[in-house]
Amino acid sequence: MNKIAYLQCPTGISGDMCLGSLVSLGVPVEYLVEKLNALGIEQEYQLRAELVHRQTQQATKIHVDLVHHQHYHHHHHGRHLLEIEKMILKAKLPSQAQAWSLAVFRQLAVAEGAVHGIEPEKVHFHEVGAVDAIVDIVGTCLGLDWLGIDSNQEGLPLIYCSPFPTGGGTVRAAHGQMPVPVPAVLKLWEMRSCPVYSNGIDKELVTPTGAAIATTLARSFSSPPPIILKQVGLGAGSLDLLIPNILRLWIGESVNEKTNIPDFANTSPNLEIISVLETQIDDLNPQAVGYVFDALFASGAVDVFTQSIGMKKSRPGLLLTVICYPEHLASCEEILFRETTTLGIRRTTEQRTILQREIQQVETPYGNVRVKVAWKGKATGKSITNVQPEYEDCADLARKHNIPWREIQRLALHNWYCQT
């Protein structure tokens, strides 16, 4: 079995969070310092780890303390790509750690160069090229190599990564005040066609260093692959957020055909990220519920539903649930606060498996009806699992011709099966 890793980043990813998760898994700080000092930066920094709490959960926080000797001061303003590559090659690191480190910095230089319109070799790294980021990137590659993460035929580690939260707001950088995500992070995501979503936290959640590590080393960005889980490392971020600001690094063994574990990745036709909003209400005029539904659907909700519940003081109430894509979370939440009496809304990010589907047209003696067709598998050799005429089309024709709705639906289904 291959040893693989999965980066789960509900609150984003940064270089120090990667290092923290690796040290949490047992990578010795002394080993990292010994190898990193071969880069010739031993007088520029000090590396230390501490256990901290993020929303009551314990995780490992890595600190890269810069030593401000005047002789080394100019390096803290950045280094060019070629200088960094020479440092890595001269250090004689373990072969995999060396190759991965070079790849991460090259990927980052390509992204920065694209943002500023210059060649990668001419990119002058600021924060990213400073000694703390060199420590984060090279240290992460050293840690992954120390843990024995296997590589594929192209030499890249068997690492997978979850989708990225976008964050929001602004952050001060070397080029001034920048919107979040910063341009380099956006370019790195674009280069790998990464799935992203908003978790509603308007902070810088993904740094250029973290994005470069993940987009260079990860094979794909989705739910965890089939894995026999062995260890989980927890790397703490610097920010104190409403949810634990922790990068979780899963380490395990890949599942092969002899392992008695179902391959959920192959049985899932399609997996996507969704947001779920929930709130209980016991003092809203029932006449307003229909209006709230319409407003939520107009704001991008995929589905809205209510359930009757018993609440405190034996009051009957409603549990109102909204399902939407992450990019519509904020607008749907705004509708709930504006149009209902709720004082609080729970939000979660979940995954759902969906069937592939398309809309087809069917002719009936009374007019055309759209039919939604859903299937499993690929378009070639697909297995049809559900066929449903569109309700509104059937209703319009039933009213127009004064015949039962069920008759229109029956004809639409019959004609669809006949034509296929």
Side-chain angles (χ1 to χ4, degrees):
M1 293 184 184
N2 290 318
K3 194 171 188 179
I4 64 176
Y6 180 69
L7 291 164
Q8 186 185 29
C9 40
T11 56
I13 184 172
S14 62
D16 62 315
M17 293 171 79
C18 290
L19 262 187
S21 66
L22 290 162
V23 172
S24 171
L25 286 167
V27 178
V29 173
E30 297 77 14
Y31 169 80
L32 295 174
V33 170
E34 175 192 350
K35 296 298 182 183
L36 287 167
N37 285 350
L39 295 166
I41 58 174
E42 63 274 11
Q43 298 187 54
E44 299 183 45
Y45 79 102
Q46 289 182 346
L47 187 67
R48 58 188 176 93
E50 68 169 330
L51 293 177
V52 299
H53 285 84
R54 295 291 181 261
Q55 295 293 341
T56 74
Q57 293 189 31
Q58 183 174 271
T60 301
K61 180 75 178 76
I62 289 293
H63 300 275
V64 182
D65 300 321
L66 301 183
V67 179
H68 294 285
H69 294 306
Q70 184 175 1
H71 179 69
Y72 300 98
H73 180 71
H74 72 284
H75 282 316
H76 297 307
H77 292 286
R79 289 177 166 94
H80 288 84
L81 174 64
L82 294 179
E83 180 183 356
I84 294 171
E85 290 179 334
K86 288 179 181 178
M87 291 168 58
I88 294 172
L89 292 170
K90 187 178 179 181
K92 296 183 179 179
L93 304 173
S95 58
Q96 287 195 140
Q98 174 182 288
W100 298 342
S101 299
L102 291 171
V104 172
F105 271 108
R106 173 63 58 168
Q107 177 99 330
L108 187 53
V110 170
E112 289 279 7
V115 168
H116 300 292
I118 58 177
E119 295 296 321
E121 290 75 14
K122 296 181 180 179
V123 169
H124 182 78
F125 295 117
H126 293 276
E127 291 91 346
V128 175
V131 65
D132 55 342
I134 295 176
V135 169
D136 288 341
I137 291 174
V138 179
T140 294
C141 295
L142 285 167
L144 292 169
D145 176 72
W146 187 91
L147 287 173
I149 303 301
D150 288 311
S151 299
N152 61 13
Q153 293 180 347
E154 290 75 35
L156 291 176
L158 298 180
I159 295 178
Y160 302 81
C161 184
S162 68
F164 298 100
T166 57
T170 60
V171 64
R172 182 167 294 280
H175 299 288
Q177 202 76 9
M178 306 288 286
V180 174
V182 297
V185 170
L186 277 178
K187 178 55 67 174
L188 287 163
W189 287 344
E190 178 191 345
M191 288 163 59
R192 286 295 309 274
S193 299
C194 295
V196 300
Y197 67 97
S198 172
N199 60 7
I201 299 175
D202 285 339
K203 298 286 185 180
E204 185 183 28
L205 303 180
V206 178
T207 67
T209 304
I213 291 170
T215 59
T216 304
L217 302 182
R219 302 180 70 184
S220 63
F221 306 90
S222 60
S223 57
I227 183 175
I228 301 173
L229 191 61
K230 297 295 185 179
Q231 289 179 285
V232 177
L234 305 178
S238 300
L239 300 175
D240 191 14
L241 305 175
L242 294 176
I243 57 178
N245 187 15
I246 295 174
L247 172 71
R248 305 201 289 187
L249 177 57
W250 304 13
I251 302 295
E253 296 174 346
S254 59
V255 177
N256 61 29
E257 66 276 5
K258 296 181 181 179
T259 306
N260 189 25
I261 296 180
D263 189 350
F264 295 107
N266 290 334
T267 58
S268 298
N270 198 14
L271 197 65
E272 63 181 12
I273 302 295
I274 56 163
S275 295
V276 180
L277 301 175
E278 282 189 340
T279 184
Q280 301 106 265
I281 305 171
D282 64 1
D283 55 353
L284 179 66
N285 187 327
Q287 292 177 313
V289 175
Y291 182 84
V292 173
F293 272 48
D294 292 341
L296 287 167
F297 283 123
S299 294
V302 175
D303 201 1
V304 185
F305 58 93
T306 60
Q307 301 174 66
S308 296
I309 57 173
M311 297 180 60
K312 62 183 179 181
K313 300 180 181 179
S314 301
R315 296 173 182 168
L318 291 176
L319 174 62
L320 176 58
T321 303
V322 182
I323 299 175
C324 63
Y325 291 112
E327 59 266 28
H328 296 134
L329 182 147
S331 58
C332 288
E333 192 172 69
E334 182 182 353
I335 293 293
L336 290 176
F337 278 126
R338 188 184 73 200
E339 301 294 346
T340 75
T341 54
T342 186
L343 300 177
I345 301 168
R346 295 182 299 279
R347 52 162 71 168
T348 57
T349 299
E350 299 182 5
Q351 297 173 337
R352 72 170 185 173
T353 305
I354 62 172
L355 295 174
Q356 299 296 314
R357 79 286 302 268
E358 67 180 2
I359 298 295
Q360 300 179 4
Q361 291 278 349
V362 170
E363 292 185 3
T364 75
Y366 302 99
N368 289 343
V369 175
R370 290 173 298 167
V371 176
K372 184 181 295 181
V373 181
W375 68 87
K376 291 193 298 184
K378 298 181 179 179
T380 57
K382 59 188 179 185
S383 173
I384 302 296
T385 60
N386 197 4
V387 179
Q388 286 295 333
E390 287 293 307
Y391 165 79
E392 291 294 347
D393 289 3
C394 294
D396 288 343
L397 293 178
R399 284 190 289 263
K400 181 179 179 181
H401 297 281
N402 194 28
I403 58 177
W405 175 88
R406 288 186 299 172
E407 177 64 11
I408 300 294
Q409 188 207 37
R410 186 191 68 79
L411 286 169
L413 280 173
H414 178 269
N415 289 357
W416 183 88
Y417 282 107
C418 286
Q419 73 181 23
T420 57

